[in-house]
Amino acid sequence: VPSSTHTTPQTTVARFVGFEKKAEKKEKKGGSNTSVSQQASSSSEKWRYFQFGQAGEGAEEDRIPPLLCNLLSRCSPLHLAQISTLFEFVIDAMETKRARLSRESEKKMKKNNRLWEKKEGWGVADPVVVWDFTSANRFQLGFLHASQDVLRSTLGMLGIAFTVNLGKKNIMLESIPDKLPLRISDVRAAALDVERIIEHFVEFDYRSIISTMVEGCATVLAERCEYLEDESAPGAGIRAFVSGMKPKAIVFDKSEGDGLRTSRHICRYYYQEPEDQHYILYVDPKHLNANEVHSLMKDMRCERKGQLQWKLAYYYASFACREVILGLQRYAKLRDSDKFGWCSEFNASFAAGSLFMITAKGRSVTRAFDSGFAFAVTACWLRDSIARWRSWKSNIKNEFLRWRDSYGVQSPNVLTVTANTNVSREFKEVMCVESCFNSSWALQKQLDFLFRDREINVRKFDVSDLPLAIRHRKGSRLPVLNCPVSTTVTPRNIDCCETPYSTVCYASTV
């Protein structure tokens, strides 16, 4: 993995809270937030892997362990999110390898007519962590390439050595004090500790994250959709329209009871007609009670609150691009005759992944996020989409493919999909990944297909205007995106160029 250039973010989208040595307790009427002393006591509990030690006593009771305070003083919150992301990728890779070896052993024993008994902990129960990066997909490789300096420095502060062996083409994690390789149980324990640090000491500014992505999208769309500009209305161009989409946290009426959030989307575009204002509504865990947070964790497939916090940061950064395209259809005066607007929803998802990848290269976004952030988000996006695809029943998969292959014209079944908020949201998320290309040329073609020759009725279009390279193919594209780069042998799986003369674009990622 070649050396990468690390840039320090200059726009605050997340910050550490409650680790100052001399902080005052903050209380509110009718309840109190987690005070510094409470955070210190929580940090003084037994750690699963890291040896941070205990907090001070007496006059120093508000202090957290010095080693932990040193970590929080020298790294950024997004660094910890990238460490947590790395740990999840490593655990997934090891579990996949273990399952593959188990299947191969079972097949070999059956071939030799020997009795096969599936035993608990087949093979090595606690293997040494060795991630063969030739088995990683393109997004994961992009994340490793762009974030390796951040990963190496932050893991070093945690007492873990991040070693890349180019000869054996693998990555190993070693304990610096003991000089011993980490095992899978160590990585699991370390992941829990990092997420615990994020839960108690990190505060993500989701409003700032969405605002940063919206500003970046405004710049990209203003350059690529000039044909939508209304010359008769000076000062009301695409840039001004998109920049006018303000993030707004959803605050639920507690009198309506718990579980209200489950009937709504986590992030969505909303137009308020009387005031002629449009917003990107999002859910902030700070405004939810315990039951609603638990429900949100279930929807996001998270096991811990710290995991939920950084996953929401990733989710809002990527999904904000989708909501921008959904709002841009209002600017282009496109209307969907379907009651549930499934064609408009398809169009928003069709170019969202590519818009995110290109927007993430812009100056305003690179000033806010660490290098490798875009690849980390997209790699997690792909992994979650594959998990959702595998969890769907065959009839749900058929509904998705029918909706996707018709480019949104054929709406999914009302009872099985539309009436189920979680499934309908998952449809849109998977569609974003299915059509994701890390190519300016592909994004331009997608935007032209969505806006250039369409008038009023969003359901009237000509698929022949879309290049063959980025049209939908038979079956899901997710396995193609998730395949290891080492298996890429055909020209169609090679990255597409940034030129209109490229004939290869279908499986482009990095």
Side-chain angles (χ1 to χ4, degrees), residues 261 283-300 302 304-305 308:
R261 191 211 55 75
V283 176
D284 193 330
K286 293 188 296 185
H287 300 151
L288 305 179
N289 58 32
N291 293 335
E292 290 170 338
V293 170
H294 178 73
S295 178
L296 182 59
M297 291 172 60
K298 184 177 179 181
D299 290 349
M300 298 291 293
C302 299
R304 294 163 295 277
K305 189 175 180 180
L308 173 67

Side-chain angles (χ1 to χ4, degrees), residues 114-134:
R114 296 176 61 183
L115 180 63
W116 166 256
E117 294 181 1
K118 187 174 182 180
K119 300 180 180 180
E120 185 70 23
W122 173 262
V124 181
D126 192 15
V128 172
V129 171
V130 179
W131 185 12
D132 182 5
F133 55 73
T134 59

Side-chain angles (χ1 to χ4, degrees), residues 108-158:
K108 183 181 296 185
M109 296 185 72
K110 286 184 177 180
K111 184 177 181 180
N112 296 331
N113 295 323
R114 296 176 61 183
L115 180 63
W116 166 256
E117 294 181 1
K118 187 174 182 180
K119 300 180 180 180
E120 185 70 23
W122 173 262
V124 181
D126 192 15
V128 172
V129 171
V130 179
W131 185 12
D132 182 5
F133 55 73
T134 59
S135 64
N137 61 50
R138 297 171 182 80
F139 294 124
Q140 292 173 334
L141 280 183
F143 165 65
L144 291 174
H145 166 66
S147 305
Q148 59 178 314
D149 291 343
V150 170
L151 297 175
R152 186 175 288 109
S153 61
T154 308
L155 285 173
M157 287 185 280
L158 292 170

Side-chain angles (χ1 to χ4, degrees), residues 39-60:
Q39 292 172 339
S41 63
S42 64
S43 65
S44 63
E45 297 172 1
K46 185 177 180 180
W47 296 90
R48 294 178 178 268
Y49 177 79
F50 300 117
Q51 303 298 323
F52 288 129
Q54 302 296 320
E57 298 180 356
E60 303 291 334

Side-chain angles (χ1 to χ4, degrees), residues 60-333:
E60 303 291 334
E61 64 178 359
D62 287 343
R63 293 185 57 183
I64 63 173
L67 291 178
L68 179 56
C69 186
N70 178 60
L71 169 69
L72 301 181
S73 302
R74 295 174 58 188
C75 73
S76 78
L78 288 177
H79 291 174
L80 294 179
Q82 290 185 339
I83 294 298
S84 189
T85 303
L86 173 67
F87 286 159
E88 289 197 0
F89 288 164
V90 169
I91 294 173
D92 290 344
M94 294 296 294
E95 290 296 333
T96 302
K97 180 180 178 181
R98 186 174 180 176
R100 177 176 55 82
L101 294 177
S102 179
R103 288 194 301 269
E104 291 177 355
S105 300
E106 178 182 4
K107 185 177 180 180
K108 183 181 296 185
M109 296 185 72
K110 286 184 177 180
K111 184 177 181 180
N112 296 331
N113 295 323
R114 296 176 61 183
L115 180 63
W116 166 256
E117 294 181 1
K118 187 174 182 180
K119 300 180 180 180
E120 185 70 23
W122 173 262
V124 181
D126 192 15
V128 172
V129 171
V130 179
W131 185 12
D132 182 5
F133 55 73
T134 59
S135 64
N137 61 50
R138 297 171 182 80
F139 294 124
Q140 292 173 334
L141 280 183
F143 165 65
L144 291 174
H145 166 66
S147 305
Q148 59 178 314
D149 291 343
V150 170
L151 297 175
R152 186 175 288 109
S153 61
T154 308
L155 285 173
M157 287 185 280
L158 292 170
I160 299 175
F162 178 78
T163 306
V164 179
N165 190 326
L166 294 178
K168 296 182 179 180
K169 298 181 180 180
N170 60 33
I171 292 174
M172 293 188 64
L173 301 176
E174 298 177 349
S175 172
I176 294 178
D178 303 333
K179 296 183 179 180
L180 295 175
L182 267 62
R183 296 186 175 273
I184 191 68
S185 59
D186 298 329
V187 176
R188 292 184 187 276
L192 290 175
D193 285 350
V194 171
E195 288 170 0
R196 181 175 158 202
I197 295 173
I198 294 176
E199 178 181 355
H200 291 292
F201 300 105
V202 173
E203 181 179 277
F204 286 98
D205 188 350
Y206 300 119
R207 176 185 293 272
S208 179
I209 291 174
I210 296 175
S211 298
T212 301
M213 295 306 301
V214 168
E215 288 296 331
C217 290
T219 302
V220 173
L221 293 174
E223 295 174 354
R224 300 178 182 277
C225 298
E226 295 180 351
Y227 46 83
L228 292 179
E229 296 285 359
D230 188 0
E231 299 179 356
S232 61
I238 294 178
R239 187 187 297 270
F241 179 85
V242 175
S243 300
M245 299 182 188
K246 303 301 181 183
K248 185 177 182 180
I250 302 175
V251 181
F252 300 108
D253 185 359
K254 299 301 180 183
S255 64
E256 297 186 30
D258 296 338
L260 177 63
R261 191 211 55 75
T262 59
S263 64
R264 307 190 183 187
H265 290 284
I266 299 174
C267 179
R268 63 190 177 94
Y269 171 79
Y270 175 72
Y271 175 72
Q272 197 168 4
E273 189 170 358
E275 290 80 10
D276 194 24
Q277 298 289 332
H278 49 178
Y279 305 95
I280 294 181
L281 304 181
Y282 67 97
V283 176
D284 193 330
K286 293 188 296 185
H287 300 151
L288 305 179
N289 58 32
N291 293 335
E292 290 170 338
V293 170
H294 178 73
S295 178
L296 182 59
M297 291 172 60
K298 184 177 179 181
D299 290 349
M300 298 291 293
R301 302 176 185 265
C302 299
E303 298 179 359
R304 294 163 295 277
K305 189 175 180 180
Q307 185 184 22
L308 173 67
Q309 288 179 242
W310 66 263
K311 276 198 170 184
L312 278 178
Y314 284 11
Y315 183 89
Y316 290 144
S318 55
F319 229 61
C321 299
R322 180 191 177 277
E323 303 309 313
V324 165
I325 299 178
L326 190 63
L328 188 62
Q329 294 180 75
R330 174 177 291 276
Y331 178 86
K333 300 178 181 179

